[in-house]
Amino acid sequence: MNVEESYDIVIVGAGHAGCEAALAAARLGFETILFTVSMDSVALMPCNPNIGGSSKGHLVREIDALGGEMGKNIDKTYIQSKMLNVSKGPAVHSLRAQADKGEYTKQMRLTLQKEPRLTLRQAEISELIYEKTEDGVKVVGVKAYSGAVYHARAVVLCTGVYLKAMCIYGDTITYTGPNGLMAANHLSDSMEAGGIPLRRFKTGTPPRLDGTTIDYSKMAEQKGDERIQPFSFMNTEEDIARDQISCWLTYTGEETHNIIKENIDRSPLFSGVIKGTGPRYCPSIEDKIMKFPDKDRHQLFVEPEGEFTTEMYLDGMSSSMPEDVQYRMVHSVPGLENAKITRPGYAIEYDCISATDLKPSLEFKSVSGLFSAGQINGSSGYEEAGAQGLIAGINAARLLQGKEAVVLSRSDGYIGVLIDDLVTKETKEPYRMMTSRAEYRLLLRQDNADLRLTDIGHEIGLIDDERYASFCKKREIINSEIQRLKETMVGAAKENQKFLEKHGSSPIHTAVSLADLIRRPEFSYELIAELDTERPELPLTREITEQIDISLKYEGYIDRQKRQVDHFLKMEGKKIPADIDYSQVKNLRIEARQKLEAVRPESIGQASRISGVSPADVNMLLLYLKM
């Protein structure tokens, strides 16, 4: 007799998306079960050993601001931390931390197992259980390969790269998931039977090396920052202080490139063995060499996989070349002449969906109660997956609560940009978040993620009252100090002129506000303390003073971007009826009609972002709707 159990919410897959979805659902009060093909694959980092990076750091801080777990977990398990792009403006500053892969998995698994209302179970889910209703089709549970049935009121698919996964290097093909873990070979058929079309995408990973066989003297040492910025707003620098572990920089050269060119016919990427579409912004080394033949070298970062292993990750040499070619490639790099490969690089192909089949809530349009998050949606990266998982878990819970779905707009955060791009634009390759994708990036900085999103996290129920009170106090200090600085004047007295001269600043001829002085490039809130004789006694953290400086220095630009957001929100506020018949809209081009029918946008703003829908088409739609 088969096992039969009932839960409120089922989560399929315990990668970064699944962990966030499961924790959100359980913390919002629902009995939740999270399935994984292996307990060892919970929050697995099968590729790069880091969290964050350009634009991805924004996502992690936003996850934390909403009440997610990723930021807290990397703060517990990092081995090196660095703020990227510090020579540029604050809009593109991005935090990145090297992780201890093993510890990251262990700590997240422990968090899951200690969470009330959450069950973690090892099993392969092979079927979705559908039920036909008057309104269409809904999901009512899942079935495991063992035959066990799990009834549910909502299901979230977070299958990552496991659906009919196939790992490839050279002529070697294994029908497994990443790191040799079992693939999920049956769920794809059940999805297609339920009317969900699938496609094949591909990603890849570089060889791992035995660190004891590397000559680091031929490489440039890459140390972490002296002052550590936590990912979680719950932590301070002192809370997570530790001795950091270095990474190392080296380069490919002419010999490396010649080896690849001479053996390119043996690459499954070029021979036609690999059918899936790979990521444009994270290409394999053979792709880089063939597409950029004039570039005489490429950076390679040698990064520790963890504190308790000698295994090193060769960031920048993702490859599916045959094993013997990978050895020759590695040995042609300075410092790696005698390096031993512990795991060859490989490409991995997998089934995924087109996210245009989803609502902005990440619920399927065709199957009510069924949500999808992470790489199954055609995205890439741990951070993109975690962000989607959090929103999908929240919205699965809110569906059961009878509440409106949480949909972040493009002006709310990078999470809003990510999901809007996925469900609106037809992504033909694995989607990667980048700062350039965000129109309002000066407003959507990683430093102010809590100021933008913690109110929402508290309203949802993932930010508790104690944390929310602390956040409100921080916001109050920032706002009151900015106002005080604008109202506090300093005159052209001698001692003030001497202070300005000492700091290489031009003299003042009439009274100016302290805020005006902070706006000068050479000054900051801390530097003008000598002139600020009325400064109140406040708990001023680095985060608070940073907000004061940025708010004042970029005030004009920020105000201009806020005006742009106001216009954007007006378009988002123009809702399109769910039952609109686009065949009745006159003068729409055929392509626009087809795209609008396929995506079925919820607002005029979303319609305007669909590839193939022109401004003229949007005007026809506005006329039809009499807006």
Side-chain angles (χ1 to χ4, degrees), residues 308-335:
F308 306 105
T309 177
T310 63
E311 200 168 25
M312 306 295 280
Y313 180 88
L314 191 53
D315 194 349
M317 198 179 264
S318 176
S319 179
S320 56
M321 281 290 206
E323 192 171 12
D324 63 298
V325 179
Q326 289 191 39
Y327 256 108
R328 291 176 59 198
M329 287 158 50
V330 167
H331 290 163
S332 69
V333 174

Side-chain angles (χ1 to χ4, degrees), residues 402-429:
K403 294 181 178 179
E404 188 178 343
V406 170
V407 177
L408 299 181
S409 79
R410 299 180 74 89
S411 60
D412 288 325
Y414 274 67
I415 295 176
V417 175
L418 163 68
I419 293 175
D420 184 68
D421 279 351
L422 286 172
V423 303
T424 302
K425 301 174 182 177
E426 194 174 352
T427 55
K428 298 184 184 299
E429 62 201 23

Side-chain angles (χ1 to χ4, degrees), residues 564-583:
Q564 293 170 346
V565 167
D566 288 341
H567 173 72
F568 161 77
L569 291 176
K570 285 179 185 176
M571 298 295 280
E572 297 301 299
K574 295 180 186 293
K575 297 300 181 183
I576 299 174
D579 60 353
I580 185 173
D581 181 357
Y582 287 105
S583 68

Side-chain angles (χ1 to χ4, degrees), residues 452-473:
R452 293 184 279 112
L453 298 173
T454 298
D455 281 326
I456 297 172
H458 183 251
E459 187 276 326
I460 291 167
L462 292 178
I463 300 292
D464 63 32
D465 290 342
E466 183 181 354
R467 176 175 175 180
Y468 188 62
S470 175
F471 159 75
C472 289
K473 182 65 176 174

Side-chain angles (χ1 to χ4, degrees), residues 61 227-230 232-239 447 450-451 470-479 481 524-527 535-550:
R61 298 212 95 202
R227 294 193 68 184
I228 300 302
Q229 171 74 61
S232 176
F233 291 97
M234 297 284 285
N235 291 325
T236 66
E237 181 181 344
E238 291 73 26
D239 292 333
D447 59 80
D450 61 335
L451 297 173
S470 175
F471 159 75
C472 289
K473 182 65 176 174
K474 170 187 171 179
R475 180 168 58 188
E476 180 187 335
I477 292 171
I478 293 167
N479 292 338
E481 268 300 271
S524 66
Y525 181 79
E526 294 294 346
L527 273 177
R535 180 170 292 188
E537 289 290 329
L538 293 168
L540 293 169
T541 63
R542 180 169 67 158
E543 284 187 344
I544 289 175
T545 59
E546 181 182 39
Q547 285 306 309
I548 293 169
D549 283 333
I550 292 172

